[in-house]
Amino acid sequence: MNYFLQNADGQKWKLPAPVSVSLQKDEDAPAAGLQAVFPAWEDVPCAAFFRVEEIDGTVWFDGVVDTLMQTDGAARLLKLTARSRAALLLDSEALPCLYARPSLPQLIRDHAVPYGFAGAAGCTDIFEVPYTVEKGISEWQVLAEFCQNYLGQTLREMDGVLTAEAQNGGEALLLGGKGIPYMQVCEQRNFYRGLSEIWEYNNGIWKKRAQDSFVQQLGLLRCRRTTDAAALLQTAQKAMLSVTVLCAGWVRAQTGQKAVLNHRGKTRELRIGQVLYSLSASGKTTRFLLYAQEKGELQCGC
């Protein structure tokens, strides 16, 4: 694995083998986050970009440096924190404007290309319904809200590339059994994520539209108000069980990808909600946080 600091002109400085690395990808966070510690040397360049790639050029991380810190003590160390390039869109406020006939290519050209993105995969249709960019929202919000409201898709950034294409989960990641061996499996029941009833606002009136009998049987009363009760209930039910799987090495995977876990003689179809890559003196590991694809997993496990 190679680690590089890079400036805006593309000049690279190869870093020595790291003391530790932690790279986290989360489906609820547009930008991946990285922390790393390297042996320090004289005259560390003032470079604002960081890249991690295999010898063959396969990219694991490509992003912007948030902090560079040099420490002198028993050892001289360079500590680095970085986020993937979506951070530039998250940190930048959009210019208020009105698009009379909006399209994804037009919005990408105005709100992403200036920050180094070449484009975005997704529907290129032109819409006759105007799209207003309000004051005070980020460049990421402009693009994400358009993709959600006009295209019905979620905007994602993967290794420096934007996409608003449907996420089908791709090929399932096999864990255990004849798949990738694991070192540890931990199941967690998240009772705090359960909702006993959900009220929906319609035509100026709040009405109870959904309820979870399992949560009610547990004796928990936790209510929410929303405009889409069915979707919120489904999200809550799936989140009530999470499974953490620890594997040796760095296993290439994406959040949202399907995962099939073989554990204790049972096969479960789950989805990847978070991936944490770590490197330390003990070696490389990958920790997956998995959620149920369908409701009912928690009930079956109790």
Side-chain angles (χ1 to χ4, degrees):
M1 198 79 73
N2 293 322
Y3 304 84
F4 298 97
L5 280 172
Q6 182 175 324
N7 65 15
D9 296 327
Q11 184 179 2
K12 289 183 177 181
W13 291 267
K14 186 176 180 180
L15 301 179
V19 176
S20 65
V21 178
S22 175
L23 168 59
Q24 182 169 310
K25 300 180 178 181
D26 196 309
E27 65 178 349
D28 296 327
L34 181 142
Q35 297 181 18
V37 178
F38 298 89
W41 70 100
E42 296 292 342
D43 300 324
V44 174
C46 189
F49 297 91
F50 184 71
R51 190 175 177 91
V52 181
E53 59 185 42
E54 299 276 10
I55 296 176
D56 63 4
T58 301
V59 177
W60 284 89
F61 179 84
D62 180 39
V64 294
V65 175
D66 282 335
T67 63
L68 278 176
M69 180 174 65
Q70 288 180 263
T71 61
D72 288 310
R76 298 190 65 202
L77 299 174
L78 173 67
K79 298 182 179 180
L80 175 150
T81 63
R83 289 175 293 163
S84 61
R85 290 180 181 264
L88 294 173
L89 304 181
L90 289 164
D91 294 346
S92 301
E93 185 176 338
L95 181 68
C97 61
L98 172 66
Y99 290 94
R101 301 176 69 238
S103 69
L104 180 61
Q106 182 183 25
L107 267 69
I108 290 295
R109 183 174 62 250
D110 293 347
H111 299 277
V113 170
Y115 299 92
F117 291 93
C123 174
T124 60
D125 292 351
I126 297 175
F127 294 85
E128 300 300 328
V129 179
Y131 180 51
T132 301
V133 177
E134 302 288 351
K135 182 182 184 302
I137 69 172
S138 70
E139 302 280 31
W140 179 268
Q141 284 177 282
V142 171
L143 299 171
E145 289 178 6
F146 174 81
C147 291
Q148 186 66 53
N149 297 333
Y150 285 71
L151 309 183
Q153 301 294 340
T154 300
L155 179 67
R156 306 185 309 282
E157 183 245 346
M158 297 184 295
D159 301 323
V161 178
L162 293 175
T163 178
E165 293 182 318
Q167 188 175 19
N168 57 20
E171 184 177 350
L173 183 70
L174 303 180
L175 299 170
K178 296 182 179 180
I180 298 168
Y182 51 74
M183 302 164 61
Q184 183 185 73
V185 174
C186 178
E187 296 186 10
Q188 178 170 308
R189 294 176 174 85
N190 304 307
F191 294 117
Y192 75 98
R193 300 293 295 271
L195 300 176
S196 58
E197 58 185 47
I198 302 174
W199 292 63
E200 190 174 288
Y201 189 73
N202 192 8
N203 295 326
I205 301 175
W206 286 102
K207 291 186 178 180
K208 185 165 64 175
R209 294 295 189 186
Q211 57 186 359
D212 191 324
S213 59
F214 175 71
V215 176
Q216 292 173 343
Q217 290 172 8
L218 290 174
L220 300 175
L221 179 61
R222 188 176 292 116
C223 306
R224 290 286 174 82
R225 309 297 194 263
T226 185
T227 55
D228 191 342
L232 182 57
L233 178 63
Q234 186 179 51
T235 298
Q237 289 175 326
K238 291 180 180 180
M240 285 187 69
L241 175 72
S242 59
V243 182
T244 302
V245 180
L246 181 66
C247 301
W250 281 17
V251 181
R252 199 162 187 86
Q254 294 290 342
T255 58
Q257 183 177 350
K258 297 176 183 177
V260 176
L261 174 64
N262 291 287
H263 178 56
R264 291 185 177 178
K266 278 199 312 185
T267 299
R268 286 181 174 172
E269 294 187 1
L270 306 166
R271 82 173 196 285
I272 301 174
Q274 183 188 92
V275 187
L276 176 61
Y277 299 105
S278 299
L279 181 151
S280 67
S282 302
K284 290 182 177 180
T285 60
T286 303
R287 186 180 299 274
F288 296 105
L289 182 61
L290 309 176
Y291 293 106
Q293 290 203 100
E294 302 295 338
K295 66 179 182 178
E297 284 281 353
L298 177 67
Q299 289 88 326
C300 294
C302 281

